[in-house]
CSV table of all heavy atoms in Angstrom, one decimal:
chain,number,residue,atom,x,y,z
A,148,MET,N,176.5,42.5,11.3
A,148,MET,CA,175.9,41.4,10.7
A,148,MET,C,174.6,40.9,11.5
A,148,MET,O,173.6,40.5,11.0
A,148,MET,CB,176.9,40.2,10.7
A,148,MET,CG,176.4,39.0,9.9
A,148,MET,SD,176.3,39.5,8.2
A,148,MET,CE,176.0,37.9,7.5
A,149,PHE,N,174.7,41.0,12.9
A,149,PHE,CA,173.6,40.7,13.7
A,149,PHE,C,172.4,41.5,13.4
A,149,PHE,O,171.2,41.1,13.4
A,149,PHE,CB,174.0,40.8,15.2
A,149,PHE,CG,172.9,40.4,16.1
A,149,PHE,CD1,172.5,39.1,16.3
A,149,PHE,CD2,172.3,41.4,16.9
A,149,PHE,CE1,171.4,38.8,17.2
A,149,PHE,CE2,171.2,41.1,17.7
A,149,PHE,CZ,170.8,39.8,17.9
A,150,GLY,N,172.6,42.8,13.2
A,150,GLY,CA,171.5,43.8,12.9
A,150,GLY,C,170.8,43.4,11.6
A,150,GLY,O,169.6,43.6,11.5
A,151,ILE,N,171.5,42.9,10.6
A,151,ILE,CA,170.9,42.5,9.3
A,151,ILE,C,170.0,41.3,9.6
A,151,ILE,O,168.9,41.2,9.1
A,151,ILE,CB,172.0,42.2,8.3
A,151,ILE,CG1,172.7,43.5,7.9
A,151,ILE,CG2,171.4,41.6,7.1
A,151,ILE,CD1,173.9,43.3,7.0
A,152,ILE,N,170.4,40.4,10.4
A,152,ILE,CA,169.6,39.2,10.7
A,152,ILE,C,168.4,39.6,11.5
A,152,ILE,O,167.3,39.1,11.1
A,152,ILE,CB,170.5,38.2,11.5
A,152,ILE,CG1,171.6,37.6,10.6
A,152,ILE,CG2,169.6,37.0,12.0
A,152,ILE,CD1,172.7,36.8,11.3
A,153,VAL,N,168.5,40.4,12.4
A,153,VAL,CA,167.3,40.9,13.2
A,153,VAL,C,166.3,41.6,12.3
A,153,VAL,O,165.1,41.4,12.4
A,153,VAL,CB,167.8,41.7,14.4
A,153,VAL,CG1,166.6,42.4,15.1
A,153,VAL,CG2,168.6,40.9,15.4
A,154,SER,N,166.8,42.5,11.4
A,154,SER,CA,166.0,43.2,10.5
A,154,SER,C,165.2,42.3,9.6
A,154,SER,O,164.0,42.5,9.3
A,154,SER,CB,166.8,44.2,9.7
A,154,SER,OG,167.4,45.1,10.5
A,155,ALA,N,166.0,41.3,9.1
A,155,ALA,CA,165.3,40.3,8.2
A,155,ALA,C,164.3,39.5,8.9
A,155,ALA,O,163.2,39.2,8.4
A,155,ALA,CB,166.4,39.4,7.6
A,156,PHE,N,164.6,39.2,10.2
A,156,PHE,CA,163.6,38.4,11.0
A,156,PHE,C,162.3,39.3,11.2
A,156,PHE,O,161.2,38.8,11.1
A,156,PHE,CB,164.2,38.0,12.3
A,156,PHE,CG,163.2,37.3,13.2
A,156,PHE,CD1,162.9,36.0,12.9
A,156,PHE,CD2,162.7,37.9,14.3
A,156,PHE,CE1,162.0,35.3,13.7
A,156,PHE,CE2,161.8,37.3,15.1
A,156,PHE,CZ,161.4,35.9,14.8
A,157,MET,N,162.5,40.6,11.5
A,157,MET,CA,161.3,41.4,11.7
A,157,MET,C,160.5,41.5,10.5
A,157,MET,O,159.3,41.5,10.5
A,157,MET,CB,161.8,42.8,12.2
A,157,MET,CG,162.3,42.9,13.6
A,157,MET,SD,162.8,44.5,14.1
A,157,MET,CE,161.3,45.5,13.9
A,158,LEU,N,161.2,41.7,9.3
A,158,LEU,CA,160.4,41.7,8.0
A,158,LEU,C,159.7,40.4,7.8
A,158,LEU,O,158.5,40.5,7.4
A,158,LEU,CB,161.4,42.0,6.9
A,158,LEU,CG,160.9,42.1,5.5
A,158,LEU,CD1,159.9,43.2,5.4
A,158,LEU,CD2,162.0,42.3,4.5
A,159,ALA,N,160.3,39.3,8.0
A,159,ALA,CA,159.7,38.0,7.8
A,159,ALA,C,158.5,37.8,8.8
A,159,ALA,O,157.5,37.3,8.4
A,159,ALA,CB,160.7,36.9,8.0
A,160,PHE,N,158.7,38.2,10.0
A,160,PHE,CA,157.6,38.1,11.0
A,160,PHE,C,156.4,39.0,10.6
A,160,PHE,O,155.3,38.6,10.8
A,160,PHE,CB,158.1,38.4,12.4
A,160,PHE,CG,157.1,38.2,13.5
A,160,PHE,CD1,156.7,36.9,13.8
A,160,PHE,CD2,156.5,39.3,14.2
A,160,PHE,CE1,155.7,36.7,14.7
A,160,PHE,CE2,155.6,39.0,15.1
A,160,PHE,CZ,155.2,37.8,15.4
A,161,GLY,N,156.7,40.2,10.1
A,161,GLY,CA,155.6,41.0,9.7
A,161,GLY,C,154.8,40.4,8.5
A,161,GLY,O,153.6,40.5,8.5
A,162,ILE,N,155.5,39.8,7.6
A,162,ILE,CA,154.9,39.2,6.4
A,162,ILE,C,154.1,38.0,6.9
A,162,ILE,O,153.0,37.7,6.5
A,162,ILE,CB,155.9,38.8,5.4
A,162,ILE,CG1,156.5,40.1,4.7
A,162,ILE,CG2,155.3,37.9,4.3
A,162,ILE,CD1,157.7,39.8,3.8
A,163,PHE,N,154.7,37.2,7.9
A,163,PHE,CA,154.0,36.1,8.5
A,163,PHE,C,152.7,36.6,9.1
A,163,PHE,O,151.6,35.9,8.9
A,163,PHE,CB,154.8,35.4,9.5
A,163,PHE,CG,154.1,34.4,10.4
A,163,PHE,CD1,153.7,33.2,9.9
A,163,PHE,CD2,153.8,34.7,11.7
A,163,PHE,CE1,153.0,32.3,10.7
A,163,PHE,CE2,153.1,33.8,12.5
A,163,PHE,CZ,152.7,32.6,12.0
A,164,LEU,N,152.7,37.6,9.9
A,164,LEU,CA,151.5,38.2,10.6
A,164,LEU,C,150.5,38.6,9.5
A,164,LEU,O,149.3,38.4,9.7
A,164,LEU,CB,151.8,39.3,11.5
A,164,LEU,CG,152.4,39.1,12.8
A,164,LEU,CD1,152.7,40.4,13.6
A,164,LEU,CD2,151.4,38.2,13.6
A,165,LYS,N,150.9,39.2,8.4
A,165,LYS,CA,150.0,39.6,7.4
A,165,LYS,C,149.3,38.5,6.7
A,165,LYS,O,148.1,38.6,6.4
A,165,LYS,CB,150.7,40.5,6.4
A,165,LYS,CG,149.9,41.2,5.4
A,165,LYS,CD,149.2,42.3,6.1
A,165,LYS,CE,148.4,43.1,5.1
A,165,LYS,NZ,147.3,43.9,5.8
A,166,LEU,N,150.0,37.4,6.5
A,166,LEU,CA,149.4,36.2,5.7
A,166,LEU,C,148.8,35.1,6.6
A,166,LEU,O,148.1,34.3,6.0
A,166,LEU,CB,150.5,35.6,4.9
A,166,LEU,CG,151.2,36.6,3.9
A,166,LEU,CD1,152.3,35.9,3.1
A,166,LEU,CD2,150.1,37.1,2.9
A,167,THR,N,149.0,35.1,7.9
A,167,THR,CA,148.6,34.0,8.7
A,167,THR,C,147.0,34.0,8.9
A,167,THR,O,146.4,35.0,8.9
A,167,THR,CB,149.3,33.9,10.0
A,167,THR,OG1,149.0,32.7,10.6
A,167,THR,CG2,148.9,35.1,10.9
A,168,LYS,N,146.5,32.8,9.0
A,168,LYS,CA,145.1,32.7,9.3
A,168,LYS,C,144.9,32.0,10.7
A,168,LYS,O,143.8,31.7,11.1
A,168,LYS,CB,144.4,31.8,8.3
A,168,LYS,CG,144.6,32.2,6.8
A,168,LYS,CD,143.3,32.9,6.4
A,168,LYS,CE,143.3,33.2,4.9
A,168,LYS,NZ,144.1,34.4,4.5
A,169,ASN,N,146.0,31.9,11.4
A,169,ASN,CA,146.0,31.3,12.8
A,169,ASN,C,145.2,32.2,13.7
A,169,ASN,O,145.5,33.4,13.8
A,169,ASN,CB,147.4,31.1,13.3
A,169,ASN,CG,147.5,30.3,14.5
A,169,ASN,OD1,146.6,30.3,15.3
A,169,ASN,ND2,148.6,29.7,14.7
A,170,PRO,N,144.2,31.6,14.4
A,170,PRO,CA,143.4,32.5,15.3
A,170,PRO,C,144.2,33.0,16.5
A,170,PRO,O,143.7,34.0,17.1
A,170,PRO,CB,142.3,31.5,15.8
A,170,PRO,CG,142.7,30.1,15.4
A,170,PRO,CD,143.7,30.2,14.3
A,171,GLY,N,145.3,32.5,16.8
A,171,GLY,CA,146.1,33.0,17.9
A,171,GLY,C,146.8,34.3,17.6
A,171,GLY,O,147.1,35.1,18.4
A,172,PHE,N,147.0,34.6,16.3
A,172,PHE,CA,147.7,35.8,15.8
A,172,PHE,C,146.7,36.9,15.3
A,172,PHE,O,147.1,37.9,14.9
A,172,PHE,CB,148.7,35.5,14.7
A,172,PHE,CG,149.9,34.7,15.2
A,172,PHE,CD1,150.0,33.4,14.9
A,172,PHE,CD2,150.8,35.3,16.0
A,172,PHE,CE1,151.2,32.7,15.3
A,172,PHE,CE2,151.9,34.7,16.4
A,172,PHE,CZ,152.1,33.3,16.1
A,173,VAL,N,145.4,36.6,15.3
A,173,VAL,CA,144.4,37.5,14.8
A,173,VAL,C,144.5,38.9,15.5
A,173,VAL,O,144.4,39.9,14.9
A,173,VAL,CB,143.0,36.9,14.8
A,173,VAL,CG1,142.0,38.0,14.5
A,173,VAL,CG2,142.9,35.8,13.8
A,174,ARG,N,144.7,38.8,16.8
A,174,ARG,CA,144.8,40.0,17.7
A,174,ARG,C,146.0,40.9,17.3
A,174,ARG,O,145.9,42.1,17.5
A,174,ARG,CB,144.9,39.5,19.1
A,174,ARG,CG,144.7,40.5,20.2
A,174,ARG,CD,144.7,39.9,21.5
A,174,ARG,NE,146.0,39.1,21.7
A,174,ARG,CZ,146.2,38.3,22.7
A,174,ARG,NH1,145.3,38.1,23.6
A,174,ARG,NH2,147.4,37.7,22.8
A,175,ASN,N,147.0,40.3,16.8
A,175,ASN,CA,148.3,41.0,16.5
A,175,ASN,C,148.4,41.4,15.0
A,175,ASN,O,149.4,41.9,14.6
A,175,ASN,CB,149.5,40.2,16.9
A,175,ASN,CG,149.5,39.9,18.4
A,175,ASN,OD1,149.1,40.8,19.2
A,175,ASN,ND2,149.9,38.8,18.8
A,176,LYS,N,147.4,41.1,14.2
A,176,LYS,CA,147.5,41.4,12.7
A,176,LYS,C,147.7,42.9,12.5
A,176,LYS,O,148.3,43.3,11.5
A,176,LYS,CB,146.3,40.8,12.0
A,176,LYS,CG,146.4,39.3,11.7
A,176,LYS,CD,145.2,38.8,11.0
A,176,LYS,CE,145.5,38.8,9.5
A,176,LYS,NZ,146.1,37.7,8.9
A,177,LYS,N,147.2,43.7,13.3
A,177,LYS,CA,147.3,45.2,13.1
A,177,LYS,C,148.8,45.7,13.2
A,177,LYS,O,149.1,46.7,12.7
A,177,LYS,CB,146.4,46.0,14.1
A,177,LYS,CG,146.8,45.7,15.5
A,177,LYS,CD,145.7,46.4,16.4
A,177,LYS,CE,146.0,45.9,17.8
A,177,LYS,NZ,144.9,46.4,18.7
A,178,PHE,N,149.6,44.9,13.8
A,178,PHE,CA,151.0,45.2,13.9
A,178,PHE,C,151.9,44.8,12.7
A,178,PHE,O,153.1,45.0,12.7
A,178,PHE,CB,151.6,44.7,15.2
A,178,PHE,CG,151.0,45.2,16.5
A,178,PHE,CD1,150.3,44.4,17.3
A,178,PHE,CD2,151.1,46.6,16.8
A,178,PHE,CE1,149.7,44.9,18.5
A,178,PHE,CE2,150.5,47.1,17.9
A,178,PHE,CZ,149.8,46.3,18.8
A,179,ALA,N,151.2,44.1,11.8
A,179,ALA,CA,152.0,43.5,10.7
A,179,ALA,C,152.7,44.6,9.9
A,179,ALA,O,153.9,44.5,9.5
A,179,ALA,CB,151.1,42.7,9.8
A,180,TRP,N,152.0,45.7,9.6
A,180,TRP,CA,152.6,46.8,8.8
A,180,TRP,C,153.7,47.5,9.5
A,180,TRP,O,154.7,47.9,8.9
A,180,TRP,CB,151.5,47.8,8.3
A,180,TRP,CG,150.7,47.2,7.2
A,180,TRP,CD1,149.3,46.9,7.3
A,180,TRP,CD2,151.1,46.9,5.9
A,180,TRP,NE1,148.9,46.4,6.1
A,180,TRP,CE2,150.0,46.4,5.2
A,180,TRP,CE3,152.3,46.9,5.2
A,180,TRP,CZ2,150.0,46.0,3.9
A,180,TRP,CZ3,152.4,46.5,3.9
A,180,TRP,CH2,151.2,46.0,3.2
A,181,ILE,N,153.6,47.5,10.8
A,181,ILE,CA,154.7,48.2,11.6
A,181,ILE,C,155.9,47.3,11.5
A,181,ILE,O,157.0,47.8,11.3
A,181,ILE,CB,154.2,48.3,13.1
A,181,ILE,CG1,153.1,49.3,13.2
A,181,ILE,CG2,155.4,48.8,14.0
A,181,ILE,CD1,152.4,49.4,14.5
A,182,PHE,N,155.8,46.0,11.7
A,182,PHE,CA,156.9,45.1,11.6
A,182,PHE,C,157.5,45.1,10.2
A,182,PHE,O,158.7,45.1,10.0
A,182,PHE,CB,156.6,43.7,12.0
A,182,PHE,CG,156.6,43.4,13.4
A,182,PHE,CD1,155.4,43.2,14.1
A,182,PHE,CD2,157.7,43.5,14.2
A,182,PHE,CE1,155.4,42.9,15.5
A,182,PHE,CE2,157.8,43.2,15.5
A,182,PHE,CZ,156.6,43.0,16.2
A,183,ILE,N,156.7,45.1,9.2
A,183,ILE,CA,157.2,45.2,7.8
A,183,ILE,C,157.9,46.5,7.5
A,183,ILE,O,159.0,46.5,6.9
A,183,ILE,CB,156.0,45.0,6.8
A,183,ILE,CG1,155.4,43.6,6.9
A,183,ILE,CG2,156.4,45.3,5.4
A,183,ILE,CD1,154.1,43.3,6.1
A,184,GLY,N,157.3,47.6,7.9
A,184,GLY,CA,158.0,48.9,7.7
A,184,GLY,C,159.3,49.0,8.4
A,184,GLY,O,160.3,49.4,7.8
A,185,ILE,N,159.3,48.7,9.7
A,185,ILE,CA,160.6,48.8,10.5
A,185,ILE,C,161.6,47.9,10.0
A,185,ILE,O,162.8,48.2,9.8
A,185,ILE,CB,160.3,48.6,12.0
A,185,ILE,CG1,159.5,49.8,12.5
A,185,ILE,CG2,161.6,48.5,12.7
A,185,ILE,CD1,159.0,49.6,13.9
A,186,GLY,N,161.2,46.7,9.7
A,186,GLY,CA,162.2,45.7,9.2
A,186,GLY,C,162.7,46.0,7.8
A,186,GLY,O,163.9,45.9,7.6
A,187,LEU,N,161.9,46.5,6.9
A,187,LEU,CA,162.4,46.9,5.6
A,187,LEU,C,163.3,48.1,5.6
A,187,LEU,O,164.4,48.1,5.0
A,187,LEU,CB,161.2,47.2,4.7
A,187,LEU,CG,161.5,47.4,3.2
A,187,LEU,CD1,162.1,46.2,2.6
A,187,LEU,CD2,160.2,47.7,2.5
A,188,VAL,N,162.9,49.1,6.3
A,188,VAL,CA,163.7,50.3,6.4
A,188,VAL,C,165.1,50.0,7.1
A,188,VAL,O,166.1,50.4,6.6
A,188,VAL,CB,163.0,51.5,7.1
A,188,VAL,CG1,163.9,52.6,7.4
A,188,VAL,CG2,161.8,51.9,6.3
A,189,SER,N,165.0,49.3,8.2
A,189,SER,CA,166.2,48.9,8.9
A,189,SER,C,167.1,48.1,8.1
A,189,SER,O,168.3,48.3,8.1
A,189,SER,CB,165.8,48.2,10.2
A,189,SER,OG,166.9,47.8,10.9
A,190,LEU,N,166.5,47.1,7.4
A,190,LEU,CA,167.3,46.2,6.5
A,190,LEU,C,168.0,47.0,5.4
A,190,LEU,O,169.2,46.8,5.1
A,190,LEU,CB,166.5,45.1,6.0
A,190,LEU,CG,167.1,44.0,5.2
A,190,LEU,CD1,168.1,43.3,6.1
A,190,LEU,CD2,166.1,43.0,4.7
A,191,ILE,N,167.3,47.9,4.8
A,191,ILE,CA,167.9,48.7,3.7
A,191,ILE,C,169.1,49.5,4.2
A,191,ILE,O,170.2,49.5,3.6
A,191,ILE,CB,166.8,49.6,3.0
A,191,ILE,CG1,165.9,48.8,2.2
A,191,ILE,CG2,167.5,50.7,2.2
A,191,ILE,CD1,164.6,49.5,1.7
A,192,PHE,N,168.9,50.2,5.3
A,192,PHE,CA,170.0,51.1,5.8
A,192,PHE,C,171.1,50.2,6.4
A,192,PHE,O,172.3,50.7,6.3
A,192,PHE,CB,169.5,52.0,6.9
A,192,PHE,CG,168.7,53.2,6.3
A,192,PHE,CD1,167.4,53.4,6.5
A,192,PHE,CD2,169.4,54.1,5.5
A,192,PHE,CE1,166.7,54.4,5.9
A,192,PHE,CE2,168.7,55.2,5.0
A,192,PHE,CZ,167.4,55.4,5.2
A,193,LYS,N,170.9,49.1,7.0
A,193,LYS,CA,172.0,48.2,7.4
A,193,LYS,C,172.8,47.7,6.3
A,193,LYS,O,174.0,47.6,6.4
A,193,LYS,CB,171.4,47.1,8.3
A,193,LYS,CG,170.7,47.6,9.5
A,193,LYS,CD,171.4,47.0,10.7
A,193,LYS,CE,170.6,47.4,11.9
A,193,LYS,NZ,171.3,48.3,12.8
A,194,ILE,N,172.1,47.3,5.2
A,194,ILE,CA,172.9,46.8,4.0
A,194,ILE,C,173.6,48.0,3.4
A,194,ILE,O,174.8,47.8,2.9
A,194,ILE,CB,171.9,46.2,3.0
A,194,ILE,CG1,171.4,44.9,3.6
A,194,ILE,CG2,172.6,46.0,1.6
A,194,ILE,CD1,170.3,44.2,2.8
A,195,LEU,N,173.1,49.2,3.3
A,195,LEU,CA,173.8,50.3,2.7
A,195,LEU,C,175.0,50.7,3.5
A,195,LEU,O,176.0,51.2,3.0
A,195,LEU,CB,172.9,51.5,2.5
A,195,LEU,CG,171.8,51.4,1.4
A,195,LEU,CD1,170.9,52.6,1.4
A,195,LEU,CD2,172.4,51.1,0.1
A,196,ASN,N,174.9,50.6,4.8
A,196,ASN,CA,176.0,51.0,5.7
A,196,ASN,C,177.0,49.9,6.1
A,196,ASN,O,177.9,50.1,6.8
A,196,ASN,CB,175.5,51.6,7.0
A,196,ASN,CG,174.8,53.0,6.7
A,196,ASN,OD1,175.3,53.7,5.9
A,196,ASN,ND2,173.8,53.3,7.5
A,197,TYR,N,176.7,48.7,5.5
A,197,TYR,CA,177.6,47.5,5.9
A,197,TYR,C,178.9,47.7,5.2
A,197,TYR,O,179.0,47.9,4.0
A,197,TYR,CB,176.9,46.2,5.4
A,197,TYR,CG,177.6,45.0,5.8
A,197,TYR,CD1,177.6,44.6,7.2
A,197,TYR,CD2,178.3,44.2,4.9
A,197,TYR,CE1,178.3,43.5,7.6
A,197,TYR,CE2,178.9,43.1,5.3
A,197,TYR,CZ,179.0,42.7,6.6
A,197,TYR,OH,179.6,41.6,7.0
A,198,LYS,N,180.0,47.5,6.0
A,198,LYS,CA,181.3,47.7,5.4
A,198,LYS,C,182.2,46.5,5.7
A,198,LYS,O,182.1,45.9,6.7
A,198,LYS,CB,182.0,48.9,6.0
A,198,LYS,CG,181.3,50.1,5.6
A,198,LYS,CD,182.0,51.4,6.2
A,198,LYS,CE,181.2,52.6,5.8
A,198,LYS,NZ,181.7,53.8,6.4
């Protein structure tokens, strides 16, 4: 269950980085797709393997 929460947080943070206009996060916007990809793939596999 903890893994699902962490994966969802990574996905949400990646989306936040992609959409934010905050000048403090401009330097990290290039990592948005990495967070979105890892979070999405991890979330899908954690949900499929959840028993």
Side-chain angles (χ1 to χ4, degrees):
M148 188 67 169
F149 179 72
I151 293 173
I152 294 169
V153 171
S154 299
F156 178 74
M157 285 179 61
L158 179 62
F160 185 67
I162 293 170
F163 167 75
L164 278 179
K165 190 73 178 158
L166 299 176
T167 190
K168 303 260 190 278
N169 188 334
F172 289 108
V173 170
R174 190 175 58 189
N175 299 323
K176 282 181 95 84
K177 60 186 169 188
F178 296 117
W180 285 114
I181 294 171
F182 279 112
I183 292 171
I185 292 172
L187 187 62
V188 169
S189 177
L190 188 61
I191 289 171
F192 283 113
K193 296 238 185 248
I194 290 173
L195 290 177
N196 290 327
Y197 185 70
K198 296 179 185 179

